[in-house]
Amino acid sequence: MSSTVSNPQGILQQGGYSGHDSRSNITSGSESESINNDEAELVSVCWNQDSSCFAAGTSHGFRIYNCQPFKETFRRELKNGGFKIVEMLFRSNILALVGGGANSQYPSNKVLIWDDHQSRCISEFAFRSEIRAVKLRRDRIVVVLEHKIYVYNFMDLRLLHQIETQANPRGLCCLSHHSNTSVLACPGLHRGEIRVEHFGLNMVQIINAHDSSIACMTLTLDGLLLATASTKGTLIRIFNTMDGTRLQEVRRGVDRADIYSIALSPNVQWLAVSSDKGTVHIFSLRVRVVGEDSYSTENAALLTQQTYSTSLQGLVSPTTGTNPGSSLSFMRGVLPKYFSSEWSYAQFHVSEVTQFFAAFGSNNTVAIIGMDGSFYRCSFDPVNGGEMGQLEYFHFLKTDNRRR
């Protein structure tokens, strides 16, 4: 691995993508040109860390969209080539970019750290193999290759950690985003295994999550809970990252499915799952409720000491809604495990022919973005569940597949 970096001191500015429209060229050396929705094709989509907006990598650059209200707030355009990875850092001026798409002038083995306040690339990391993902938090840059993960300090770009993984073509990796905890989860060295790094505690937890390979995962904002799915795609499991204990298991379905996204609501009361079966499922969680409002410095101090409890007490609690189960669930332990499964509480149907990625909004709403250039915002009933209601639909960018 080799990398070329420049000094990033002072790069974080206030503001960022706050809702104003802006269109410009990404580098002074590239010719800008007028590119409309009919010419720019969608290459990738990615939520920012709080799901308040998302980035769309296109064949001619990237665009930033606000979710509520829905609006394109920013774009940068190129004459030649675009990006397969556009990773935001909340709404700041910093993005991580990796080239991709047809005829991209940027290689897929190089990360560009772009400072939009200065309108320039402030550093870059070049690797010998293709970059699968990039993850950002305010103090770290994480670069994911197929067999290795590199963790850098954001301020001086110093390499802090190197983590070996099983083959990871999906670029699976997730981070906590509270300033008081520093947690990273990624595939382990064996099939179905997840490695959880608690950097602040200098502790590693290995979780044997599934028998099959890992397909998708996500952490809570504090990094204390982990939700996972395997390539089989029938079950989603929630774990305590401190001791690896399984806290809950819910069932998406019976048939195999490719899980595209798993999202946890900020208060950890709900879980959303999207897959190639064309349904976004919402599940009610029985784990303890910890959100930004209830997360305090005092709580964090307790957690980062030895009472960062490895017991289940305080991690499992009742919720307002209950996932439906089989009518034969009273015979659990006698009938196969399928009959005692927890099924989804609410559902929303989308196209089966493209990838969709779900995230939670405010007031029991879910936002869904698709690789067909579609955006949905829908609501669910937290008491009765059932079919979700569509609140908004927008087609934000042209793709090869225009089906809804």
Side-chain angles (χ1 to χ4, degrees):
M1 186 275 295
S2 62
S3 62
T4 305
V5 300
S6 61
N7 186 357
Q9 296 290 336
I11 58 176
L12 289 174
Q13 306 289 334
Q14 297 297 318
Y17 304 110
S18 57
H20 63 281
D21 290 311
S22 177
R23 304 185 184 194
S24 56
N25 184 27
I26 195 167
T27 64
S28 58
S30 309
E31 295 180 39
S32 63
E33 59 179 13
S34 177
I35 300 171
N36 58 37
N37 274 8
D38 292 331
E39 295 173 337
E41 300 238 348
L42 191 59
V43 177
S44 66
V45 291
C46 184
W47 296 106
N48 75 336
Q49 287 81 357
D50 61 10
S51 304
S52 62
C53 55
F54 68 92
T58 77
S59 54
H60 294 288
F62 64 87
R63 303 178 188 187
I64 307 298
Y65 295 88
N66 189 70
C67 290
Q68 195 172 355
F70 183 82
K71 181 182 181 182
E72 180 185 315
T73 62
F74 186 86
R75 71 167 66 178
R76 292 233 174 232
E77 296 175 343
L78 304 172
K79 183 176 181 180
N80 296 306
F83 299 102
K84 70 170 186 177
I85 295 174
V86 182
E87 179 76 6
M88 302 179 68
L89 180 60
F90 292 93
R91 287 178 175 267
S92 76
N93 50 296
I94 302 299
L95 301 101
L97 307 173
V98 178
N103 304 314
S104 176
Q105 63 178 316
Y106 296 100
S108 62
N109 67 330
K110 181 181 289 188
V111 182
L112 306 177
I113 304 300
W114 175 260
D115 180 354
D116 213 75
H117 182 77
Q118 301 182 45
S119 295
R120 69 183 183 92
C121 176
I122 56 171
S123 62
E124 62 182 44
F125 302 82
F127 299 86
R128 295 191 182 94
S129 60
E130 182 178 352
I131 294 162
R132 299 298 185 178
V134 181
K135 302 296 179 181
L136 301 178
R137 51 176 276 154
R138 299 187 193 279
D139 59 352
R140 297 290 184 267
I141 300 171
V142 178
V143 181
V144 183
L145 307 184
E146 183 154 351
H147 293 276
K148 202 165 191 178
I149 294 175
Y150 295 89
V151 181
Y152 298 89
N153 186 49
F154 211 126
M155 292 309 296
D156 58 11
L157 303 184
R158 179 168 50 94
L159 179 62
L160 301 176
H161 308 280
Q162 300 181 50
I163 303 170
E164 301 282 347
T165 70
Q166 189 188 33
N168 185 17
R170 298 173 184 246
L172 300 178
C173 181
C174 46
L175 306 175
S176 66
H177 292 289
H178 273 307
S179 59
N180 296 307
T181 59
S182 182
V183 183
L184 177 151
C186 64
L189 291 172
H190 305 287
R191 185 177 65 186
E193 183 180 272
I194 293 178
R195 179 186 181 102
V196 181
E197 295 272 357
H198 290 268
F199 293 121
L201 300 177
N202 195 27
M203 184 186 83
V204 177
Q205 180 66 50
I206 302 298
I207 299 175
N208 293 312
H210 298 271
D211 293 332
S212 303
S213 297
I214 305 300
C216 195
M217 67 173 76
T218 192
L219 285 168
T220 49
L221 291 175
D222 59 14
L224 300 185
L225 296 177
L226 172 74
T228 68
S230 75
T231 51
K232 190 175 179 181
T234 55
L235 298 172
I236 296 87
R237 291 171 174 160
I238 297 89
F239 297 91
N240 174 357
T241 64
M242 290 303 302
D243 63 3
T245 305
R246 186 198 303 177
L247 303 177
Q248 190 174 352
E249 177 182 276
V250 296
R251 180 174 290 276
R252 179 214 54 82
V254 181
D255 299 330
R256 297 183 71 96
D258 190 2
I259 302 297
Y260 295 145
S261 70
I262 301 175
L264 292 162
S265 64
N267 64 3
V268 201
Q269 190 173 357
W270 307 102
L271 179 145
V273 178
S274 65
S275 73
D276 63 350
K277 296 301 183 181
T279 303
V280 175
H281 294 273
I282 305 297
F283 298 89
S284 175
L285 296 183
R286 292 181 283 101
V287 295
R288 62 90 176 93
V289 177
V290 170
E292 242 179 285
D293 294 338
S294 61
Y295 193 90
S296 67
T297 303
E298 181 181 354
N299 289 337
L302 290 173
L303 290 172
T304 52
Q305 296 170 8
Q306 69 256 29
T307 54
Y308 211 147
S309 176
T310 58
S311 73
L312 297 185
Q313 186 175 4
L315 283 177
V316 180
S317 64
T319 63
T320 56
T322 303
N323 298 315
S326 167
S327 60
L328 298 177
S329 60
F330 67 93
M331 297 184 68
R332 71 178 66 199
V334 179
L335 294 175
K337 191 175 181 180
Y338 164 86
F339 290 100
S340 60
S341 295
E342 294 182 49
W343 297 78
S344 62
Y345 187 75
Q347 307 81 32
F348 185 76
H349 297 284
V350 292
S351 170
E352 296 183 17
V353 297
T354 192
Q355 291 182 307
F356 284 90
F357 307 91
F360 285 94
S362 59
N363 301 320
N364 302 316
T365 62
V366 177
I368 305 165
I369 49 176
M371 284 300 294
D372 60 353
S374 61
F375 173 90
Y376 295 90
R377 194 166 68 87
C378 50
S379 63
F380 63 94
D381 185 333
V383 176
N384 300 311
E387 189 69 21
M388 288 191 277
Q390 181 176 311
L391 301 177
E392 290 182 306
Y393 170 83
F394 296 95
H395 193 85
F396 62 87
L397 199 63
K398 172 191 173 184
T399 63
D400 291 332
N401 188 347
R402 299 295 293 270
R403 286 181 57 186
R404 284 179 57 176

